[in-house]
Amino acid sequence: MIDVAKQAGVSHQTVSRAINTPEALRSDTLERVRRAMRDLGYRRNSQARALKTRKTGLIGVVNPGDSSFGPNRTTLAIEEAARKEGFATALSVVRDARKETVDSTLEFFLGHGVEAVIVIAPVPTVADAARQLSTRMPVVIVTSGLSAAADQNVVGIDQEMGARLVV
């Protein structure tokens, strides 16, 4: 960032503004900074940003590893929506729905600073583990046939209606 500032003839705070709040800069200043960033091959250091803001911009997605169309399409839609909002996703496939396996996957996400987890939960074991994690971070459970408590975020898929529409 210091090299970009030097080449653009601005302070490092101005480079930071160009990255985080570009609307706060005059267009000529913003263009100088962006040109210097291109010329130097500057890339934002997401780890340094996470240290400063305490936010990683990372959402964990737990997929059951089912090769059928539905879960994979759901995972793709989650990734596209997250990217549109400026987040990245980290995917973990959990084919073994035992509680220990799901718990270790969710702990892995916690250890890597994900800000939220979206769990595609085709079986109650996975949904139960996700519910327990929801006391520590935002969790959305994507499932069918499970009821949600008032403090839980559940996206329900109406499989019966889908089958009726197909038939």
Side-chain angles (χ1 to χ4, degrees), residues 63-76 95 120 122 159:
N63 182 299
D66 187 342
S67 61
S68 65
F69 182 75
N72 288 332
R73 181 67 188 126
T74 301
T75 301
L76 178 62
R95 291 179 190 257
I120 301 170
Q159 301 288 359

Side-chain angles (χ1 to χ4, degrees), residues 77-92:
I78 291 167
E79 195 280 330
E80 289 173 345
R83 188 173 352 112
K84 184 177 178 183
E85 295 300 317
F87 287 88
T89 57
L91 175 65
S92 181

Side-chain angles (χ1 to χ4, degrees), residues 77-125:
I78 291 167
E79 195 280 330
E80 289 173 345
R83 188 173 352 112
K84 184 177 178 183
E85 295 300 317
F87 287 88
T89 57
L91 175 65
S92 181
V93 175
V94 177
R95 291 179 190 257
D96 175 2
R98 288 179 304 153
K99 182 174 178 355
E100 306 81 46
T101 306
V102 177
D103 285 347
S104 68
T105 298
L106 298 175
E107 285 298 322
F108 173 82
F109 283 147
L110 281 172
H112 282 79
V114 299
E115 294 184 40
V117 175
I118 300 171
V119 180
I120 301 170
V123 295
T125 308

Side-chain angles (χ1 to χ4, degrees), residues 3 27 47 53 70 107 122 126 132 139 145 151:
D3 293 337
S27 60
Q47 292 172 340
T53 64
E107 285 298 322
V126 176
Q132 291 174 6
V139 173
D151 62 342

Side-chain angles (χ1 to χ4, degrees), residues 107-158:
E107 285 298 322
F108 173 82
F109 283 147
L110 281 172
H112 282 79
V114 299
E115 294 184 40
V117 175
I118 300 171
V119 180
I120 301 170
V123 295
T125 308
V126 176
D128 290 342
R131 285 182 172 130
Q132 291 174 6
L133 180 65
S134 68
T135 61
R136 297 162 66 188
M137 70 170 29
V139 173
V140 175
I141 302 169
V142 180
T143 190
S144 58
L146 292 177
S147 59
D151 62 342
Q152 293 172 327
N153 301 305
V154 175
V155 176
I157 299 170
D158 189 341

